[in-house]
Amino acid sequence: MYRKLASSTFLKNFSWLALGQIFYRVAYFVTIALLARIVPLNDYGLASYFLLYVGLWAPLFNFGLGIVGVREIAQGNISAEDFISKVISLKILVVVLAGVLLMVSGIFFEYSGDQLILLFCFSVYAILISLAEFFHIPFIGIEKMHITARLIIVERAVISILAILLLIVFSDIWGFAFGYILGGIISVIISYKVFRRAFSFSLRIDNSILKFFIRESWPVALNMFFSLSYNRIGVVFLENMKSRDVVAYYNSAFFVLFALQMGVSTLMQAIFPKLSRAQKNKNSIGKSAFKVFKIIFPILFLSTLILFYFSDSLILVFYGEELKSSIPILRVLIWVFPLFTISTFWANYFRAGGNQRLMAVISGSGMLFNIAGSVLLINAAGAVGLAKAYVISEFLIVIMCFLLFISHQRDREITFSVIAYLAIMFLIIGGSLFYSYIGLSLTVFCLITIGILVVISLIGIKNADVKFIKNLIV
C-alpha cells in the first residue's frame, strides 16, 4: 500500500514541488535577511517596500495565463507545444505593458532619482521572472512537476547567489538589485532551453486562441491582483502615513508569512490539474471537497498557533534585535496564513469549474474593505493596525467563498457546518488578539486552543471522504 501511494502522480508532484518551493522560499528569505543585516535600515525599508510594490503588479505580468494555461492543458483542450507557440506573443505583450504601467505608476506617485531607478530595476526583474515561469506552465499542465521543481531550484539558486554576492561586494541595495536582474536573465535562458529539449516550438499567431485566453485570463488576473493588493496597497499607505522604518518592521514580519505560504502554493499547484479534469468530467466533488477541508482546518490552525507562540524567536533569530519591533506585527499577521490557505483552496475549486469571474468579484470586495480598513487602522495602531486590516479582509474573503459554496450546494447540513467553522475561526483569531485582556497568559490561551482543535480534528477525520482523497493522490 505504501509503495502504491509513494508511486502516485500526486505524491511525486507534491514532493517535487514542495522541494522546489521550500528552496525558493528559504533562499528568498535568507537573501532578504542578509539585506536587512548589511544595508542601513532606511535602505532596507526602501528595497523591501519596492519589492512588495512590484509584487502588487505581479498578476498583470502573469495575466492569469498560468492558471488558465494549466487548466486547458490538463483538460486536453490545447497541447503544451501549441500553448507556448500560440500564446507567447500575448505573454510578451502583457509583460511589456505591465512594466510600462509600473513605471508610469511610479511617476504618478512622484518617485524620483534613486527611487525611480530602483523601481525600474525590480520592474525588469519582474518581467524576466514572469517570462521564465511561462515556460514552466506546460510541465505543470501535463503533471511533470519534477521538471518544474528542478527549474525553480536552479533558477532561484542562481538569483540568490548573484544577489547575495553582489550585495556583499557592493554593500548596498544596488548590488542586490543588479544581482536580481542578472539572475533573471539567466533564468529565462535556462527555462527556454529546458522547454525546447522537451517540446517543439515555432511561433504562430492564432487569433481564436488569443481571444480565448484573453477572455478567460483577465478575470483571473483581476482576482489575483485583488488578492495580492491586500498587503501591498496597505504598505503604500503605511509608507506615506508613517515612516520607512515602520515599513521595514512590517515587511520583516510579512516576509516570514511569505515564506510560510510555500505549502499552500505547492499543494494547490499539485491538485489543480486533477481538480480541472474532475470539473470537466462533471464529477460532483463539492461535498467531498468540504470534507477534505474539515481535515485541513485543524492542521492549519494548530501549525499557525505554534508559529504564533514562537513569533519572537522567529524575528530575533532571522533579523536580530534591531527589528524586534516586528514581533507584535507578526503575532497578528501570522493569522493570515490559515485564512489565506482556506480562501485559496476554495478559489482553486471555483476556478477549476470556470467561475473565475465570481472569484474576481469576491476578491475585489475584500480589497475595497482592506483599503478602508488600512487607512483607519494605520492611523490608530500603525503597522499592527495594517496587519489587523489584512487579517480582517482575508476573513471576509473566506466568508464570501463559503457563501458562494453553500449557494451552489444547497445542503442544510453543510450550511450549519459552515456557520460552525466560521464561528470557531472567529473565536480563535479574536482570542489571539485579546487573550491578555481577559487575564489569560499566552501559554494558557494556546493550550485551550489546542484542546479545541483536537476535538475538531477527531470530528473531521471521522467524517472524511477517504475515497475522494484517494482519487486525488493516486
Side-chain angles (χ1 to χ4, degrees):
M1 180 64 179
Y2 173 78
R3 289 182 180 178
K4 182 178 179 181
L5 288 176
S7 64
S8 71
T9 301
F10 172 81
L11 289 183
K12 283 183 177 179
N13 287 336
F14 180 77
S15 298
W16 274 108
L17 284 175
L19 179 63
Q21 289 292 335
I22 288 172
F23 184 88
Y24 165 41
R25 305 293 180 175
V26 170
Y28 182 81
F29 190 64
V30 169
T31 306
I32 295 299
L34 285 174
L35 177 68
R37 288 178 177 271
I38 291 175
V39 304
L41 182 62
N42 188 64
D43 286 349
Y44 168 69
L46 178 65
S48 62
Y49 168 77
F50 278 121
L51 278 173
L52 289 178
Y53 181 73
V54 172
L56 169 64
W57 295 77
L60 296 185
F61 287 96
N62 181 279
F63 197 63
L65 293 174
I67 289 176
V68 177
V70 169
R71 187 188 72 195
E72 295 303 306
I73 293 171
Q75 292 180 351
N77 298 328
I78 190 172
S79 67
E81 292 93 340
D82 283 346
F83 172 75
I84 296 294
S85 299
K86 296 179 180 180
V87 183
I88 192 169
S89 58
L90 174 61
K91 178 65 177 181
I92 293 172
L93 177 63
V94 164
V95 296
V96 171
L97 287 176
V100 171
L101 287 172
L102 184 54
M103 293 307 300
V104 170
S105 75
I107 296 171
F108 175 80
F109 285 115
E110 299 183 348
Y111 300 135
S112 60
D114 289 347
Q115 292 178 329
L116 209 55
I117 296 172
L118 190 62
L119 178 61
F120 176 77
C121 290
F122 288 145
S123 300
V124 172
Y125 168 73
I127 290 173
L128 293 169
I129 286 301
S130 186
L131 288 173
E133 291 177 344
F134 183 70
F135 292 105
H136 298 183
I137 295 171
F139 299 111
I140 299 173
I142 63 175
E143 296 192 75
K144 297 293 183 183
M145 297 178 194
H146 60 286
I147 300 176
T148 304
R150 291 169 185 172
L151 283 171
I152 291 172
I153 292 171
V154 173
E155 291 164 10
R156 299 300 169 175
V158 170
I159 293 168
S160 298
I161 290 171
L162 289 172
I164 291 171
L165 181 63
L166 293 180
L167 174 63
I168 293 172
V169 170
F170 293 101
S171 298
D172 59 26
I173 56 177
W174 301 111
F176 175 82
F178 293 146
Y180 261 39
I181 292 175
L182 185 57
I185 294 171
I186 296 173
S187 295
V188 174
I189 296 171
I190 292 172
S191 292
Y192 176 72
K193 291 289 186 182
V194 171
F195 171 79
R196 284 303 305 271
R197 289 184 63 183
F199 305 101
S200 61
F201 171 75
S202 60
L203 181 62
R204 300 192 298 275
I205 303 297
D206 188 323
N207 290 331
S208 62
I209 292 292
L210 293 177
K211 288 179 181 178
F212 170 81
F213 275 94
I214 291 172
R215 184 176 67 251
E216 291 293 312
S217 296
W218 74 260
V220 177
L222 196 61
N223 180 23
M224 293 170 64
F225 175 78
F226 290 151
S227 299
L228 286 175
S229 66
Y230 299 156
N231 176 71
R232 272 69 173 189
I233 289 180
V235 173
V236 174
F237 292 149
L238 189 64
E239 203 238 3
N240 291 326
M241 297 168 66
K242 295 297 179 180
S243 69
R244 195 167 291 163
D245 288 357
V246 177
V247 171
Y249 297 138
Y250 180 86
N251 285 344
S252 298
F254 175 77
F255 287 134
V256 174
L257 173 66
F258 178 74
L260 292 170
Q261 289 172 332
M262 172 275 302
V264 182
S265 57
T266 302
L267 182 63
M268 297 309 161
Q269 259 191 318
I271 288 179
F272 189 71
K274 292 181 176 292
L275 278 176
S276 297
R277 285 195 293 272
Q279 292 281 18
K280 182 182 180 181
N281 296 331
K282 306 299 181 184
N283 290 352
S284 180
I285 62 173
K287 291 183 179 180
S288 297
F290 186 70
K291 290 177 181 178
V292 173
F293 159 76
K294 289 182 178 181
I295 298 177
I296 295 174
F297 178 87
I299 297 172
L300 273 175
F301 274 83
L302 182 60
S303 59
T304 305
L305 191 68
I306 294 171
L307 295 168
F308 172 78
Y309 189 82
F310 291 105
S311 293
D312 53 347
S313 300
L314 286 171
I315 293 295
L316 294 176
V317 167
F318 286 107
Y319 294 110
E321 287 284 339
E322 188 178 10
L323 290 171
K324 65 181 181 181
S325 296
S326 300
I327 293 172
I329 303 170
L330 182 58
R331 283 232 163 97
V332 176
L333 203 58
I334 200 68
W335 293 106
V336 169
F337 175 59
L339 296 172
F340 170 81
T341 305
I342 293 168
S343 64
T344 303
F345 176 82
W346 291 112
N348 278 275
Y349 169 81
F350 292 123
R351 285 176 192 146
N355 291 313
Q356 53 264 31
R357 287 173 176 79
L358 286 173
M359 288 309 305
V361 172
I362 289 175
S363 298
S365 301
M367 184 197 71
L368 291 174
F369 180 87
N370 183 262
I371 291 173
S374 295
V375 172
L376 293 173
L377 294 177
I378 287 173
N379 270 328
V384 173
L386 176 58
K388 289 179 179 178
Y390 193 6
V391 172
I392 295 169
S393 299
E394 202 63 53
F395 191 77
L396 288 175
I397 292 292
V398 170
I399 292 174
M400 286 185 281
C401 283
F402 274 134
L403 290 175
L404 179 60
F405 176 70
I406 61 178
S407 70
H408 283 187
Q409 295 300 312
R410 299 185 181 278
D411 184 289
R412 180 175 296 182
E413 181 181 348
I414 286 180
T415 301
F416 284 125
S417 295
V418 164
I419 294 172
Y421 275 97
L422 288 174
I424 292 167
M425 282 187 268
F426 179 80
L427 289 173
I428 292 176
I429 296 173
S432 72
L433 300 177
F434 301 107
Y435 66 88
S436 60
Y437 292 96
I438 57 176
L440 293 179
S441 67
L442 177 62
T443 303
V444 171
F445 166 74
C446 290
L447 288 174
I448 293 172
T449 307
I450 288 172
I452 295 171
L453 291 173
V454 167
V455 174
I456 296 170
S457 177
L458 293 174
I459 296 172
I461 292 173
K462 180 180 178 181
N463 292 307
D465 191 328
V466 178
K467 183 179 179 181
F468 177 72
I469 298 172
K470 183 178 178 181
N471 289 335
L472 273 181
I473 67 174
V474 176

